[in-house]
Amino acid sequence: MLNLTGKKALVTGIANNRSIAWGIAQQLHAAGAELGVTYLPDDKGRFEKKVGELVEPLNPSIFVPCNVQDDAQITEAFGMVAEKWGKFDILIHCLAFAGKEELTGDYSATSRDGFARALDISAYSLTRLCAAAKPLFNEGGSVVTLSYLGAERVIPNYNVMGVAKAALECSVRYLASELGPVGVRVNAISAGPIRTLASSAVGGILDMIHHVEEVAPLRRTVTQVEVGNATAFLCSDLSSGITGEVIHVDSGYSIMGM
Ligand code: 0WE
């Protein structure tokens, strides 16, 4: 049975109750993991309050701000991990951002700043978090990040995010190679489209979801809980031979020609 009892898991990327990271946090908790949660700080403290209330039932032993564009906040967050936990086991990376203007129209219109910001938040952040986490990982540790089909194929309007996800998936392989010898596995889940805060801001997401419901082998979209269960598997000993991999949790959509 899938058992994460005694494992300590740091989860990034929870924004609200529709976040995929929230589905992951719930399933890791259900499997017995002890949770730590990071949130994106904002000037009004809205995320701190919302995310704090949301995760309270899961009794997180750590709740810290972490804007991954700020090295000092990453250092602070992992300082808290070192202080509260010493070593830990699981790092969940569910972070992405591109400017709204980059997610529509021609890819070639991507600005230099827009490209840098999307790659910084959506891809480099995994590398930076793994650097901070490396000295703190227990043997048997596991890192899971979220990707999307736009890394492999052209999805209309995904644009610079596709390039960022390609960099993220490639980072998974380099990090897996580096961390494997110290007993830590690194994998990605390529999730099918789900209605979340991020995706709902995208024009045409409902049409994409309807298309998945029509052509995916399972004839439906996936849920946050299904991504959470696959993540729990990747964090458990049941997946002890899997690293550097990208697993599709997408109702089979990616195997289809249309
Ligand atoms: O990775 C994602 C979401 C990425 C995302 C979404 C937004 C919307 C609001 C990153 N940054 C922003 N910035 C904003 O201002 N997905 C896989 C969901 C998604 O996003 C798309 C999709 C799908 C699916 C964007 C265009 C086309 C399809």
Side-chain angles (χ1 to χ4, degrees):
M1 254 306 288
L2 205 155
N3 184 9
L4 298 177
T5 306
K7 301 247 189 200
K8 298 177 172 70
L10 188 69
V11 180
T12 67
I14 302 175
N16 63 25
N17 65 355
R18 292 210 304 214
S19 297
I20 297 175
W22 170 235
I24 292 171
Q26 288 176 96
Q27 298 318 104
L28 296 182
H29 177 80
E34 181 179 345
L35 295 185
V37 170
T38 75
Y39 62 91
L40 181 64
D42 60 296
D43 17 273
K44 289 180 182 161
R46 283 171 65 228
F47 276 127
E48 177 173 12
K49 185 167 185 294
K50 273 196 92 164
V51 178
E53 286 169 5
L54 181 66
V55 301
E56 202 178 83
L58 306 187
N59 299 309
S61 29
I62 294 172
F63 184 65
V64 281
C66 188
N67 178 339
V68 293
Q69 288 198 283
D70 181 348
D71 285 341
Q73 289 190 35
I74 294 174
T75 302
E76 281 249 334
F78 282 88
M80 186 67 83
V81 170
E83 186 187 313
K84 287 257 159 116
W85 283 345
K87 299 258 174 172
F88 80 119
D89 306 282
I90 294 166
L91 174 63
I92 306 296
H93 176 276
C94 310
L95 309 166
F97 186 81
K100 226 181 156 184
E101 62 284 4
E102 321 289 353
L103 295 174
T104 184
D106 292 338
Y107 171 66
S108 68
T110 305
S111 69
R112 191 179 297 273
D113 283 355
F115 186 98
R117 184 164 67 152
L119 273 283
D120 182 33
I121 299 175
S122 313
Y124 178 69
S125 61
L126 176 69
T127 297
R128 192 66 190 74
L129 292 183
C130 282
K134 191 176 175 181
L136 302 178
F137 274 130
N138 284 316
E139 171 108 34
S142 182
V143 179
V144 178
T145 185
L146 290 181
S147 191
Y148 179 58
L149 187 60
E152 308 165 63
R153 306 229 275 263
V154 175
I155 305 286
N157 299 319
Y158 201 60
N159 295 0
V160 72
M161 273 307 307
V163 176
K165 290 300 194 187
L168 181 75
E169 291 185 6
C170 194
S171 298
V172 163
R173 294 186 280 273
Y174 279 88
L175 290 165
S177 169
E178 176 186 339
L179 296 175
V182 296
V184 177
R185 298 181 295 109
V186 185
N187 293 288
I189 288 176
S190 185
I194 297 178
R195 285 193 74 178
T196 65
L197 183 64
S199 74
S200 298
V202 173
I205 190 73
L206 279 180
D207 291 339
M208 295 186 61
I209 284 172
H210 289 140
H211 188 243
V212 168
E213 289 168 349
E214 273 168 19
V215 314
L218 299 183
R219 296 291 191 273
R220 60 177 181 82
T221 53
V222 295
T223 65
Q224 290 86 338
V225 166
E226 288 178 305
V227 177
N229 284 333
T231 302
F233 163 72
L234 285 175
C235 295
S236 78
D237 295 342
L238 293 180
S239 63
S240 55
I242 302 176
T243 194
E245 190 62 279
V246 181
I247 298 183
H248 293 89
V249 179
D250 66 348
S251 301
Y253 180 78
S254 66
I255 69 168
M256 301 303 291
M258 253 316 281

CSV table of all heavy atoms in Angstrom, one decimal, residues 26-80:
chain,number,residue,atom,x,y,z
A,26,GLN,N,-3.5,17.4,-0.3
A,26,GLN,CA,-4.6,16.5,0.3
A,26,GLN,C,-4.2,15.0,0.2
A,26,GLN,O,-4.4,14.3,1.2
A,26,GLN,CB,-5.9,16.7,-0.3
A,26,GLN,CG,-6.5,18.1,0.0
A,26,GLN,CD,-7.8,18.3,-0.7
A,26,GLN,OE1,-8.9,18.0,-0.2
A,26,GLN,NE2,-7.7,18.7,-2.0
A,27,GLN,N,-3.7,14.6,-1.0
A,27,GLN,CA,-3.4,13.2,-1.1
A,27,GLN,C,-2.1,12.8,-0.4
A,27,GLN,O,-2.0,11.6,0.1
A,27,GLN,CB,-3.3,12.8,-2.6
A,27,GLN,CG,-4.7,13.0,-3.4
A,27,GLN,CD,-5.9,12.6,-2.6
A,27,GLN,OE1,-6.6,13.4,-2.1
A,27,GLN,NE2,-6.1,11.3,-2.6
A,28,LEU,N,-1.2,13.7,-0.3
A,28,LEU,CA,0.0,13.4,0.5
A,28,LEU,C,-0.3,13.2,1.9
A,28,LEU,O,0.1,12.3,2.6
A,28,LEU,CB,1.1,14.5,0.3
A,28,LEU,CG,1.7,14.6,-1.1
A,28,LEU,CD1,2.8,15.7,-1.1
A,28,LEU,CD2,2.3,13.3,-1.6
A,29,HIS,N,-1.2,14.1,2.4
A,29,HIS,CA,-1.7,14.1,3.8
A,29,HIS,C,-2.4,12.8,4.0
A,29,HIS,O,-2.2,12.1,5.1
A,29,HIS,CB,-2.6,15.3,4.1
A,29,HIS,CG,-3.2,15.3,5.4
A,29,HIS,ND1,-2.5,15.7,6.6
A,29,HIS,CD2,-4.4,15.0,5.8
A,29,HIS,CE1,-3.3,15.6,7.6
A,29,HIS,NE2,-4.5,15.2,7.2
A,30,ALA,N,-3.3,12.4,3.1
A,30,ALA,CA,-4.1,11.2,3.2
A,30,ALA,C,-3.2,10.0,3.3
A,30,ALA,O,-3.6,9.0,4.0
A,30,ALA,CB,-5.1,11.1,2.1
A,31,ALA,N,-2.1,10.0,2.7
A,31,ALA,CA,-1.1,8.9,2.7
A,31,ALA,C,-0.2,8.9,3.9
A,31,ALA,O,0.6,8.1,4.1
A,31,ALA,CB,-0.3,8.9,1.4
A,32,GLY,N,-0.4,9.9,4.8
A,32,GLY,CA,0.3,10.0,6.0
A,32,GLY,C,1.5,10.9,6.1
A,32,GLY,O,2.1,11.0,7.2
A,33,ALA,N,1.7,11.7,5.1
A,33,ALA,CA,2.8,12.6,5.1
A,33,ALA,C,2.6,13.8,6.0
A,33,ALA,O,1.4,14.2,6.2
A,33,ALA,CB,3.1,13.1,3.7
A,34,GLU,N,3.6,14.3,6.6
A,34,GLU,CA,3.6,15.6,7.4
A,34,GLU,C,3.9,16.7,6.4
A,34,GLU,O,4.8,16.6,5.6
A,34,GLU,CB,4.6,15.5,8.5
A,34,GLU,CG,4.7,16.8,9.4
A,34,GLU,CD,5.8,16.7,10.5
A,34,GLU,OE1,6.3,15.5,10.7
A,34,GLU,OE2,6.1,17.7,11.0
A,35,LEU,N,3.1,17.8,6.4
A,35,LEU,CA,3.1,18.8,5.4
A,35,LEU,C,3.8,20.1,5.9
A,35,LEU,O,3.7,20.5,7.0
A,35,LEU,CB,1.7,19.2,4.9
A,35,LEU,CG,0.9,18.1,4.2
A,35,LEU,CD1,-0.4,18.7,3.7
A,35,LEU,CD2,1.7,17.5,3.0
A,36,GLY,N,4.5,20.7,4.9
A,36,GLY,CA,4.9,22.1,5.0
A,36,GLY,C,4.4,22.8,3.8
A,36,GLY,O,4.3,22.2,2.7
A,37,VAL,N,4.0,24.0,3.9
A,37,VAL,CA,3.3,24.7,2.8
A,37,VAL,C,4.0,26.1,2.6
A,37,VAL,O,4.2,26.8,3.6
A,37,VAL,CB,1.8,24.9,3.1
A,37,VAL,CG1,1.1,25.8,2.1
A,37,VAL,CG2,1.1,23.6,3.1
A,38,THR,N,4.3,26.4,1.3
A,38,THR,CA,4.7,27.8,1.0
A,38,THR,C,3.6,28.5,0.3
A,38,THR,O,2.8,27.8,-0.4
A,38,THR,CB,6.0,27.8,0.2
A,38,THR,OG1,5.7,27.5,-1.2
A,38,THR,CG2,7.1,26.9,0.8
A,39,TYR,N,3.6,29.8,0.4
A,39,TYR,CA,2.6,30.6,-0.3
A,39,TYR,C,3.2,31.8,-0.9
A,39,TYR,O,4.3,32.2,-0.4
A,39,TYR,CB,1.4,31.0,0.6
A,39,TYR,CG,1.8,31.9,1.7
A,39,TYR,CD1,1.8,33.3,1.6
A,39,TYR,CD2,2.3,31.3,2.9
A,39,TYR,CE1,2.2,34.1,2.7
A,39,TYR,CE2,2.7,32.1,4.0
A,39,TYR,CZ,2.7,33.5,3.8
A,39,TYR,OH,3.1,34.3,4.9
A,40,LEU,N,2.6,32.4,-1.9
A,40,LEU,CA,3.1,33.6,-2.5
A,40,LEU,C,2.7,34.8,-1.7
A,40,LEU,O,1.5,35.1,-1.6
A,40,LEU,CB,2.6,33.7,-4.0
A,40,LEU,CG,3.1,34.9,-4.8
A,40,LEU,CD1,4.6,34.9,-5.0
A,40,LEU,CD2,2.3,35.0,-6.1
A,41,PRO,N,3.6,35.5,-1.1
A,41,PRO,CA,3.2,36.7,-0.3
A,41,PRO,C,2.8,37.9,-1.2
A,41,PRO,O,3.3,38.0,-2.3
A,41,PRO,CB,4.5,37.1,0.5
A,41,PRO,CG,5.6,36.6,-0.4
A,41,PRO,CD,5.1,35.3,-1.1
A,42,ASP,N,1.7,38.6,-0.8
A,42,ASP,CA,1.3,39.8,-1.6
A,42,ASP,C,1.1,40.9,-0.5
A,42,ASP,O,0.9,40.6,0.7
A,42,ASP,CB,0.1,39.5,-2.4
A,42,ASP,CG,-1.1,39.1,-1.6
A,42,ASP,OD1,-1.0,38.0,-1.0
A,42,ASP,OD2,-2.1,39.8,-1.5
A,43,ASP,N,1.1,42.1,-1.0
A,43,ASP,CA,1.0,43.3,-0.1
A,43,ASP,C,-0.2,43.3,0.8
A,43,ASP,O,-0.1,43.8,2.0
A,43,ASP,CB,1.2,44.6,-0.8
A,43,ASP,CG,0.9,44.5,-2.3
A,43,ASP,OD1,1.8,44.2,-3.0
A,43,ASP,OD2,-0.3,44.7,-2.7
A,44,LYS,N,-1.3,42.8,0.4
A,44,LYS,CA,-2.5,42.8,1.2
A,44,LYS,C,-2.6,41.5,2.1
A,44,LYS,O,-3.6,41.4,2.8
A,44,LYS,CB,-3.8,42.9,0.3
A,44,LYS,CG,-3.9,44.3,-0.3
A,44,LYS,CD,-5.2,44.4,-1.2
A,44,LYS,CE,-5.3,45.7,-1.9
A,44,LYS,NZ,-6.2,45.7,-3.0
A,45,GLY,N,-1.7,40.6,1.9
A,45,GLY,CA,-1.7,39.4,2.7
A,45,GLY,C,-2.9,38.5,2.4
A,45,GLY,O,-3.3,37.7,3.2
A,46,ARG,N,-3.4,38.6,1.2
A,46,ARG,CA,-4.6,37.8,0.8
A,46,ARG,C,-4.3,36.3,0.7
A,46,ARG,O,-5.1,35.5,1.1
A,46,ARG,CB,-5.2,38.4,-0.5
A,46,ARG,CG,-6.0,39.7,-0.2
A,46,ARG,CD,-6.4,40.4,-1.5
A,46,ARG,NE,-7.4,39.5,-2.3
A,46,ARG,CZ,-7.2,39.3,-3.6
A,46,ARG,NH1,-6.2,39.7,-4.3
A,46,ARG,NH2,-8.1,38.5,-4.2
A,47,PHE,N,-3.2,36.0,0.0
A,47,PHE,CA,-2.9,34.6,-0.1
A,47,PHE,C,-2.6,33.9,1.2
A,47,PHE,O,-3.0,32.8,1.5
A,47,PHE,CB,-1.7,34.4,-1.1
A,47,PHE,CG,-2.1,34.3,-2.5
A,47,PHE,CD1,-1.5,35.2,-3.4
A,47,PHE,CD2,-3.0,33.4,-3.0
A,47,PHE,CE1,-1.8,35.1,-4.8
A,47,PHE,CE2,-3.4,33.4,-4.3
A,47,PHE,CZ,-2.8,34.2,-5.2
A,48,GLU,N,-1.9,34.7,2.1
A,48,GLU,CA,-1.5,34.2,3.4
A,48,GLU,C,-2.8,33.7,4.1
A,48,GLU,O,-2.8,32.6,4.7
A,48,GLU,CB,-0.7,35.2,4.2
A,48,GLU,CG,-0.4,34.7,5.6
A,48,GLU,CD,0.5,35.7,6.4
A,48,GLU,OE1,0.7,36.8,6.0
A,48,GLU,OE2,1.0,35.2,7.4
A,49,LYS,N,-3.8,34.6,4.1
A,49,LYS,CA,-5.1,34.3,4.8
A,49,LYS,C,-5.8,33.2,4.1
A,49,LYS,O,-6.2,32.2,4.8
A,49,LYS,CB,-5.9,35.6,4.8
A,49,LYS,CG,-7.2,35.5,5.6
A,49,LYS,CD,-7.8,36.9,5.9
A,49,LYS,CE,-9.0,36.8,6.8
A,49,LYS,NZ,-10.2,36.1,6.2
A,50,LYS,N,-6.0,33.3,2.8
A,50,LYS,CA,-6.8,32.3,2.1
A,50,LYS,C,-6.2,30.9,2.2
A,50,LYS,O,-6.8,29.9,2.5
A,50,LYS,CB,-6.9,32.7,0.6
A,50,LYS,CG,-8.1,33.6,0.3
A,50,LYS,CD,-8.4,33.6,-1.2
A,50,LYS,CE,-9.5,32.6,-1.6
A,50,LYS,NZ,-10.1,32.8,-2.9
A,51,VAL,N,-4.9,30.9,1.8
A,51,VAL,CA,-4.2,29.6,1.8
A,51,VAL,C,-4.0,29.0,3.2
A,51,VAL,O,-4.2,27.8,3.4
A,51,VAL,CB,-2.8,29.7,1.1
A,51,VAL,CG1,-2.1,28.4,1.1
A,51,VAL,CG2,-3.0,30.2,-0.3
A,52,GLY,N,-3.8,29.9,4.2
A,52,GLY,CA,-3.7,29.5,5.6
A,52,GLY,C,-4.9,28.8,6.1
A,52,GLY,O,-4.8,27.8,6.7
A,53,GLU,N,-6.1,29.4,5.8
A,53,GLU,CA,-7.4,28.8,6.2
A,53,GLU,C,-7.6,27.5,5.5
A,53,GLU,O,-8.1,26.6,6.1
A,53,GLU,CB,-8.5,29.8,5.9
A,53,GLU,CG,-8.5,31.0,6.9
A,53,GLU,CD,-9.5,32.1,6.5
A,53,GLU,OE1,-10.2,31.9,5.5
A,53,GLU,OE2,-9.5,33.1,7.2
A,54,LEU,N,-7.2,27.5,4.2
A,54,LEU,CA,-7.5,26.3,3.4
A,54,LEU,C,-6.7,25.1,3.9
A,54,LEU,O,-7.2,24.0,4.1
A,54,LEU,CB,-7.1,26.5,1.9
A,54,LEU,CG,-7.2,25.4,0.9
A,54,LEU,CD1,-8.7,25.1,0.7
A,54,LEU,CD2,-6.6,25.8,-0.4
A,55,VAL,N,-5.4,25.3,4.2
A,55,VAL,CA,-4.6,24.2,4.6
A,55,VAL,C,-4.6,23.8,6.1
A,55,VAL,O,-4.1,22.8,6.5
A,55,VAL,CB,-3.1,24.4,4.2
A,55,VAL,CG1,-3.0,24.6,2.7
A,55,VAL,CG2,-2.5,25.6,5.0
A,56,GLU,N,-5.3,24.6,6.9
A,56,GLU,CA,-5.3,24.4,8.3
A,56,GLU,C,-5.8,23.0,8.7
A,56,GLU,O,-5.1,22.4,9.6
A,56,GLU,CB,-6.3,25.4,9.0
A,56,GLU,CG,-6.0,25.6,10.5
A,56,GLU,CD,-6.9,26.7,11.1
A,56,GLU,OE1,-8.1,26.4,11.4
A,56,GLU,OE2,-6.5,27.9,11.1
A,57,PRO,N,-6.8,22.4,8.1
A,57,PRO,CA,-7.2,21.1,8.4
A,57,PRO,C,-6.1,20.0,8.2
A,57,PRO,O,-6.2,18.9,8.8
A,57,PRO,CB,-8.4,20.8,7.5
A,57,PRO,CG,-8.9,22.1,7.1
A,57,PRO,CD,-7.7,23.0,7.1
A,58,LEU,N,-5.1,20.3,7.4
A,58,LEU,CA,-4.0,19.4,7.1
A,58,LEU,C,-2.9,19.5,8.1
A,58,LEU,O,-1.9,18.9,8.0
A,58,LEU,CB,-3.5,19.5,5.7
A,58,LEU,CG,-4.6,19.4,4.6
A,58,LEU,CD1,-3.9,19.4,3.2
A,58,LEU,CD2,-5.5,18.2,4.7
A,59,ASN,N,-3.1,20.4,9.1
A,59,ASN,CA,-2.1,20.7,10.1
A,59,ASN,C,-0.6,20.8,9.7
A,59,ASN,O,0.2,20.1,10.1
A,59,ASN,CB,-2.1,19.5,11.2
A,59,ASN,CG,-3.5,19.4,11.8
A,59,ASN,OD1,-4.0,20.4,12.3
A,59,ASN,ND2,-4.1,18.2,11.8
A,60,PRO,N,-0.4,21.7,8.7
A,60,PRO,CA,1.0,21.9,8.3
A,60,PRO,C,1.9,22.3,9.4
A,60,PRO,O,1.5,23.2,10.2
A,60,PRO,CB,0.9,23.0,7.2
A,60,PRO,CG,-0.3,23.7,7.5
A,60,PRO,CD,-1.3,22.8,8.1
A,61,SER,N,3.1,21.7,9.5
A,61,SER,CA,4.0,22.1,10.6
A,61,SER,C,4.9,23.3,10.2
A,61,SER,O,5.6,23.9,11.0
A,61,SER,CB,4.9,21.0,11.0
A,61,SER,OG,5.1,20.0,10.0
A,62,ILE,N,4.8,23.6,8.9
A,62,ILE,CA,5.5,24.8,8.3
A,62,ILE,C,4.5,25.5,7.4
A,62,ILE,O,3.8,24.9,6.6
A,62,ILE,CB,6.7,24.4,7.5
A,62,ILE,CG1,7.8,23.7,8.4
A,62,ILE,CG2,7.3,25.6,6.8
A,62,ILE,CD1,9.0,23.1,7.7
A,63,PHE,N,4.5,26.9,7.5
A,63,PHE,CA,3.7,27.7,6.6
A,63,PHE,C,4.5,29.0,6.4
A,63,PHE,O,4.5,29.9,7.3
A,63,PHE,CB,2.3,28.0,7.3
A,63,PHE,CG,1.4,28.7,6.4
A,63,PHE,CD1,0.9,28.2,5.2
A,63,PHE,CD2,1.0,30.0,6.7
A,63,PHE,CE1,0.0,28.9,4.3
A,63,PHE,CE2,0.1,30.7,5.9
A,63,PHE,CZ,-0.4,30.2,4.7
A,64,VAL,N,5.2,29.0,5.3
A,64,VAL,CA,6.1,30.2,5.1
A,64,VAL,C,5.9,30.8,3.7
A,64,VAL,O,5.5,30.1,2.7
A,64,VAL,CB,7.6,29.7,5.1
A,64,VAL,CG1,8.1,29.6,6.5
A,64,VAL,CG2,7.8,28.5,4.3
A,65,PRO,N,6.1,32.1,3.6
A,65,PRO,CA,6.1,32.8,2.3
A,65,PRO,C,7.3,32.4,1.5
A,65,PRO,O,8.4,32.2,2.0
A,65,PRO,CB,6.1,34.3,2.7
A,65,PRO,CG,6.8,34.3,4.0
A,65,PRO,CD,6.4,33.1,4.7
A,66,CYS,N,7.1,32.3,0.2
A,66,CYS,CA,8.2,32.0,-0.7
A,66,CYS,C,7.9,32.5,-2.1
A,66,CYS,O,7.2,31.8,-2.9
A,66,CYS,CB,8.6,30.5,-0.7
A,66,CYS,SG,10.1,30.2,-1.6
A,67,ASN,N,8.4,33.7,-2.5
A,67,ASN,CA,8.3,34.1,-3.8
A,67,ASN,C,9.6,33.7,-4.5
A,67,ASN,O,10.7,34.2,-4.1
A,67,ASN,CB,8.2,35.7,-3.8
A,67,ASN,CG,8.2,36.2,-5.3
A,67,ASN,OD1,8.7,35.6,-6.2
A,67,ASN,ND2,7.7,37.4,-5.4
A,68,VAL,N,9.5,32.8,-5.4
A,68,VAL,CA,10.7,32.1,-6.0
A,68,VAL,C,11.6,33.1,-6.8
A,68,VAL,O,12.7,32.7,-7.3
A,68,VAL,CB,10.4,30.9,-6.8
A,68,VAL,CG1,9.9,29.8,-5.9
A,68,VAL,CG2,9.4,31.2,-7.9
A,69,GLN,N,11.1,34.3,-7.1
A,69,GLN,CA,11.9,35.3,-7.8
A,69,GLN,C,12.9,36.0,-6.9
A,69,GLN,O,13.7,36.8,-7.3
A,69,GLN,CB,11.0,36.3,-8.5
A,69,GLN,CG,10.3,35.7,-9.7
A,69,GLN,CD,9.8,36.8,-10.7
A,69,GLN,OE1,8.8,37.4,-10.4
A,69,GLN,NE2,10.5,37.0,-11.8
A,70,ASP,N,12.8,35.7,-5.6
A,70,ASP,CA,13.5,36.3,-4.6
A,70,ASP,C,14.4,35.3,-3.8
A,70,ASP,O,13.9,34.5,-3.0
A,70,ASP,CB,12.6,37.1,-3.6
A,70,ASP,CG,13.3,37.8,-2.5
A,70,ASP,OD1,14.5,37.7,-2.3
A,70,ASP,OD2,12.6,38.6,-1.8
A,71,ASP,N,15.7,35.3,-4.1
A,71,ASP,CA,16.6,34.3,-3.5
A,71,ASP,C,16.6,34.4,-2.0
A,71,ASP,O,16.7,33.3,-1.3
A,71,ASP,CB,18.1,34.6,-3.9
A,71,ASP,CG,18.3,34.2,-5.3
A,71,ASP,OD1,17.6,33.3,-5.9
A,71,ASP,OD2,19.3,34.6,-5.9
A,72,ALA,N,16.4,35.6,-1.4
A,72,ALA,CA,16.4,35.7,0.1
A,72,ALA,C,15.2,34.9,0.7
A,72,ALA,O,15.3,34.3,1.7
A,72,ALA,CB,16.3,37.2,0.5
A,73,GLN,N,14.0,35.0,0.0
A,73,GLN,CA,12.8,34.3,0.4
A,73,GLN,C,13.0,32.8,0.3
A,73,GLN,O,12.5,32.0,1.2
A,73,GLN,CB,11.6,34.7,-0.3
A,73,GLN,CG,11.1,36.1,0.0
A,73,GLN,CD,9.8,36.5,-0.5
A,73,GLN,OE1,8.9,35.6,-0.6
A,73,GLN,NE2,9.6,37.7,-0.9
A,74,ILE,N,13.7,32.3,-0.7
A,74,ILE,CA,14.0,30.9,-0.8
A,74,ILE,C,14.9,30.4,0.4
A,74,ILE,O,14.7,29.4,1.0
A,74,ILE,CB,14.6,30.6,-2.2
A,74,ILE,CG1,13.6,30.8,-3.3
A,74,ILE,CG2,15.1,29.1,-2.2
A,74,ILE,CD1,14.2,30.7,-4.7
A,75,THR,N,15.9,31.2,0.6
A,75,THR,CA,16.9,30.9,1.7
A,75,THR,C,16.1,30.9,3.1
A,75,THR,O,16.3,30.0,3.9
A,75,THR,CB,18.0,32.0,1.8
A,75,THR,OG1,18.7,32.0,0.5
A,75,THR,CG2,19.0,31.7,2.9
A,76,GLU,N,15.2,31.9,3.3
A,76,GLU,CA,14.4,31.9,4.5
A,76,GLU,C,13.5,30.7,4.6
A,76,GLU,O,13.5,30.1,5.7
A,76,GLU,CB,13.5,33.2,4.5
A,76,GLU,CG,14.2,34.5,4.8
A,76,GLU,CD,13.8,35.0,6.2
A,76,GLU,OE1,12.6,34.7,6.6
A,76,GLU,OE2,14.6,35.7,6.8
A,77,ALA,N,12.9,30.4,3.6
A,77,ALA,CA,11.9,29.2,3.6
A,77,ALA,C,12.7,27.9,3.9
A,77,ALA,O,12.2,27.2,4.8
A,77,ALA,CB,11.2,29.1,2.3
A,78,PHE,N,13.8,27.7,3.3
A,78,PHE,CA,14.5,26.5,3.6
A,78,PHE,C,15.3,26.5,4.9
A,78,PHE,O,15.6,25.5,5.5
A,78,PHE,CB,15.4,26.1,2.4
A,78,PHE,CG,14.6,25.5,1.3
A,78,PHE,CD1,14.1,26.2,0.3
A,78,PHE,CD2,14.4,24.1,1.3
A,78,PHE,CE1,13.3,25.7,-0.7
A,78,PHE,CE2,13.7,23.5,0.3
A,78,PHE,CZ,13.1,24.3,-0.7
A,79,GLY,N,15.5,27.8,5.4
A,79,GLY,CA,16.0,27.9,6.8
A,79,GLY,C,15.0,27.5,7.8
A,79,GLY,O,15.3,26.8,8.8
A,80,MET,N,13.7,27.8,7.5
A,80,MET,CA,12.6,27.3,8.3
A,80,MET,C,12.5,25.8,8.2
A,80,MET,O,12.3,25.1,9.3
A,80,MET,CB,11.3,27.9,7.8
A,80,MET,CG,10.1,27.6,8.7
A,80,MET,SD,10.2,28.4,10.3
A,80,MET,CE,9.6,30.0,10.0
